[in-house]
Amino acid sequence: MTDHLMLNQWIEDHVRHCQPDRVVWWRGTTAQYDETLAMMVKNGAAVALDPVKRPGSYLFRSHPSDVARVENRTFIASQRLADAGPTNNWIEPQRLKSILSGLYAGVMKGRTMYVIPFMMGALRSPFSKIAVLLTDSPYVAVNMQIMTRTGDAVLAALGMGGAFVPCLHSVGYPLSAGIAGPAWPCAPIEQKYIAHFPEERMIWSYGSGYGGNALLGKKCLALRIASVQARDEGWLAEHMLILKLTNPEGKVRYVTGAFPSACGKTNLAMLVPTIPGWKVETIGDDIAWMRFGRDGRLYAVNPEAGFFGVAPGTSTKTNPNAMATIAKNTIFTNVALTDDLDVWWEGIGTPAPDHLIDWQGRDWTPASNEPAAHPNARFTAPAAQCPAIAPEWEDPAGVPISAILIGGRRPTTVPLVHESLNWNHGVFMGSTMGSEITAATISDQIGQVRRDPFAMLPFIGYHAGDYLKHWLDVGAAHDPLKLPKIYHVNWFRKDADGKFLWPGYGENSRILKWIFERADGTAGAIDTPIGKMPRPADLDLAGLDIHPETMRALLSVDAEAWRREADSIEKYYGIFGDRLPAALTVELASLKKRLA
Ligand code: O2Y
Ligand code: MN
């Protein structure tokens, strides 16, 4: 099927080992995509949604034990434990290969192996990376079609000897002859392995069919393996959205933004601004690959082709662009099904119908005491369908970045926005960002900050201390005047009664405007011990009903609280041991001095 001898050999080896009944090459055509979905509707794995209300769209329900990424079953199998670092699960690679080889033996019996050549990044972009996925999940195949560039065009780009990242995936559920098996096959949790071999640039995933565990282009390749490639090749593979901002005069600036989960990242990526004349467009909602151009500026591409967004909470109020994106040609997973074959979820903005089929396929009524959709229910939709997608979103050269946003959920201490003093200070800010732990997370640590450097904690494919050093090195190697400033934003500051101080959503455009104008040198700021900050008068607050006292609270720096923050950072830095970059110790000492 291909002239690439190494690829053929690799496929042959795995066919012999996994023993699928048949092998199908993924061609990337609409016809193959449609046929695969029709086959899954016929065998009961998918429900075809109403062709008028939700054209070209399907619903899948996962096994109740297979509903999200599994961090405790995700492994970085570097040769040395020290290279995986304190934040990753490590297994010696030969041991992991031997466990997994045992599990993969004959695992595809009764199933089809799909051979899916795919590309992260646009065709003809020097940023792009090619990979080939062998999977026994047709659900994964159709999702990969939306999330990546797949098929013959990628194979042609690979040529006879091009480099590719080998990705092997199995749901871990072989079929006995004549038995159909469950609609969502998967293995028990202790047999799930999401395995990365960073030195070999190889991914093996076993036992899960869900999201980041199974759509291997996303977190496994575009972040964990790519972060290692980026370290070795001098670029940045980051968990960041990419936005295009246009001011009323038509001037354009691009920004990236790192946010941990549950911070409204997809909403920000598709934000509808409330300030007149300003336009916000989407380049990407989750991952940014950034390299320096010949002009010394940092350029970003979105390596993905689709969105794999959380459905619950998405509505025409919170994210009208996402709602328009998923109006057609969308794969829904674990949302509720209405009696007229449409979808529903908590927070969709319409009242719950009297009857639904819930995400587990059971009858559901408003009297039920469980949610109808799983909280991590997802939509998979083509990025090209987003009304806010920027025309240049697939530009092979990427877009020049003027600012990098970072942020988490911080009800106290962290103001609405502050700007880094320089690159190293920005990396310090990125290394310490995170969200306050709430009852929804780990109950015995409520109120503490779960630090998540650049929102990459679960996605760094090597030692987290070396990752921070890489950020510092990248800055040191380039013209400081051309490096983007880093902005810590915090939409989640609360008052003493626990009420949010800032309205968020489209009003966040007011902060984006200040950041845009800072890059242009036209917006004011004052020096504070934690960085540069706007005064209320530096922000465009026209038409916003917000009390001056509230603005003062949002833009205040409580030195005592920040001294406690500095102590907490010092404690947290302990996990990096001797791999904590010295420049970050210097930044922490400088912060303490400014606060004294
Ligand atoms: O639960 C999953 O498998 C999905 S995780 C995910 C999906 C899209 C974007 N970001 C994430 C994430 O965990 O950051
Ligand atoms: Mn993400």
Side-chain angles (χ1 to χ4, degrees):
M1 190 63 200
T2 152
D3 297 328
H4 196 301
L5 298 181
M6 253 176 66
L7 174 57
N8 283 338
Q9 188 60 55
W10 174 71
I11 296 168
E12 248 176 57
D13 290 348
H14 287 302
V15 169
R16 202 173 317 111
H17 192 63
C18 300
Q19 298 172 36
D21 278 14
R22 63 202 83 75
V23 176
V24 166
W25 279 79
W26 195 258
R27 313 291 306 273
T29 62
T30 309
Q32 189 178 31
Y33 174 84
D34 291 344
E35 278 161 24
T36 309
L37 278 157
M39 178 270 289
M40 286 188 279
V41 170
K42 196 160 163 220
N43 72 20
V47 176
L49 297 174
D50 182 86
V52 176
K53 292 199 179 72
R54 207 62 70 164
S57 300
Y58 299 85
L59 165 66
F60 288 80
R61 298 189 191 102
S62 80
H63 189 274
S65 69
D66 198 27
V67 291
R69 286 191 298 107
V70 281
E71 283 178 23
N72 62 346
R73 303 300 305 166
T74 298
F75 301 92
I76 300 296
S78 46
Q79 292 294 336
R80 298 179 336 148
L81 163 66
D83 292 335
T87 60
N88 284 310
N89 295 315
W90 179 82
I91 304 188
E92 195 281 315
Q94 276 315 322
R95 198 176 139 231
L96 185 53
K97 281 184 189 169
S98 139
I99 296 169
L100 280 167
S101 294
L103 291 169
Y104 282 127
V107 76
M108 296 190 186
K109 275 186 188 153
R111 298 193 182 277
T112 300
M113 175 194 275
Y114 295 88
V115 180
I116 309 179
F118 68 99
M119 185 180 275
M120 299 311 295
L123 286 164
R124 284 175 292 281
S125 166
F127 283 78
S128 298
K129 299 279 180 198
I130 294 179
V132 183
L133 170 63
L134 307 182
T135 178
D136 56 8
S137 165
Y139 167 84
V140 165
V142 291
N143 275 271
M144 289 297 286
Q145 172 88 1
I146 296 178
M147 294 303 296
T148 70
R149 283 88 181 170
T150 57
D152 290 353
V154 177
L155 214 47
L158 184 62
M160 285 167 64
F164 65 95
V165 176
C167 303
L168 176 62
H169 169 253
S170 172
V171 294
Y173 199 108
L175 290 172
S176 317
I179 309 279
W184 185 282
C186 61
I189 181 75
E190 65 284 358
Q191 266 181 32
K192 292 189 208 294
Y193 289 88
I194 321 301
H196 306 75
F197 301 90
E199 288 99 352
E200 284 178 74
R201 318 282 200 242
M202 184 170 86
I203 302 164
W204 283 6
S205 168
Y206 183 94
S208 167
Y210 203 88
N213 302 332
L215 310 181
L216 301 190
K218 195 173 183 55
K219 305 299 183 180
C220 299
L221 196 163
L223 290 176
R224 296 194 192 96
I225 293 296
S227 64
V228 178
Q229 293 175 307
R231 176 200 61 191
D232 295 348
E233 297 167 11
W235 51 283
L236 296 163
E238 297 301 325
H239 188 204
M240 291 184 181
L241 56 78
I242 313 171
L243 279 182
K244 174 185 180 185
L245 312 175
T246 308
N247 76 4
E249 289 73 51
K251 183 163 190 186
V252 169
R253 295 248 174 222
Y254 301 92
V255 303
T256 57
F259 298 87
S261 52
C263 287
K265 193 170 160 199
T266 301
N267 293 348
L268 182 62
M270 299 179 192
L271 172 142
V272 180
T274 51
I275 36 179
W278 283 75
K279 199 163 157 190
V280 176
E281 290 163 278
T282 313
I283 306 275
D285 79 326
D286 196 38
I287 296 173
W289 285 356
M290 299 188 283
R291 279 171 204 268
F292 285 87
R294 286 215 183 92
D295 59 0
R297 296 193 65 191
L298 190 59
Y299 285 77
V301 297
N302 169 11
E304 300 191 279
F307 305 128
F308 188 66
V310 177
T314 306
S315 69
T316 47
K317 192 160 162 256
T318 60
N319 194 337
N321 285 318
M323 291 302 277
T325 306
I326 61 178
K328 58 182 181 187
N329 306 326
T330 297
I331 296 171
F332 294 93
T333 308
N334 287 346
V335 302
L337 179 69
T338 65
D339 291 349
D340 56 358
L341 295 181
D342 200 2
V343 288
W344 190 89
W345 49 78
E346 283 70 21
I348 197 173
T350 54
D354 291 340
H355 177 259
L356 291 166
I357 303 293
D358 77 2
W359 70 277
Q360 297 191 67
R362 306 171 302 193
D363 286 309
W364 185 96
T365 72
S368 302
N369 44 26
E370 282 181 72
H374 187 277
N376 193 38
R378 296 275 166 170
F379 53 78
T380 319
Q385 285 185 186
C386 179
I389 201 82
E392 65 274 45
W393 78 281
E394 296 189 280
D395 188 333
V399 293
I401 298 304
S402 296
I404 296 173
L405 277 51
I406 58 169
R409 281 185 174 262
R410 296 296 305 266
T412 64
T413 313
V414 179
L416 182 57
V417 58
H418 64 285
E419 179 190 277
S420 59
L421 300 170
N422 52 47
W423 183 262
N424 281 12
H425 179 236
V427 175
F428 170 74
M429 284 158 57
S431 75
T432 62
M433 63 178 270
S435 289
E436 204 170 277
I437 293 166
T438 64
T441 46
I442 309 163
S443 55
D444 64 342
Q445 295 171 1
I446 292 172
Q448 289 180 36
V449 179
R450 180 187 227 186
R451 312 244 171 226
D452 186 352
F454 289 103
M456 279 287 283
L457 199 61
F459 308 122
I460 306 170
Y462 57 105
H463 194 294
D466 293 352
Y467 164 79
L468 294 172
K469 179 164 185 310
H470 178 58
W471 265 87
L472 294 162
D473 290 347
V474 157
H478 291 91
D479 180 350
L481 296 176
K482 291 184 179 165
L483 293 173
K485 290 269 167 55
I486 296 182
Y487 293 84
H488 197 155
V489 298
N490 179 24
W491 319 132
F492 301 100
R493 187 86 180 243
K494 289 182 174 172
D495 66 13
D497 299 328
K499 270 188 30 213
F500 287 114
L501 292 173
W502 180 248
Y505 298 105
E507 304 298 0
N508 294 338
S509 56
R510 297 173 191 276
I511 308 306
L512 297 178
K513 178 182 174 189
W514 181 74
I515 291 168
F516 182 115
E517 292 176 346
R518 287 294 294 162
D520 269 12
T522 56
I526 50 162
D527 287 318
T528 81
I530 63 166
K532 293 187 181 289
M533 274 174 53
R535 291 152 294 199
D538 295 317
L539 295 174
D540 180 350
L541 300 173
L544 182 65
D545 183 17
I546 193 161
H547 198 279
E549 268 312 309
T550 308
M551 277 319 299
R552 259 193 289 279
L554 279 163
L555 296 175
S556 64
V557 179
D558 174 345
E560 189 46 48
W562 271 93
R563 280 191 282 272
R564 285 195 298 275
E565 178 79 6
D567 290 343
S568 146
I569 291 169
E570 187 164 13
K571 199 163 152 216
Y572 149 77
Y573 269 178
I575 64 162
F576 298 107
D578 61 3
R579 298 229 201 170
L580 176 70
L584 296 183
T585 315
V586 170
E587 288 300 328
L588 178 60
S590 305
L591 172 67
K592 285 187 169 181
K593 213 161 140 193
R594 292 194 300 269
L595 288 165

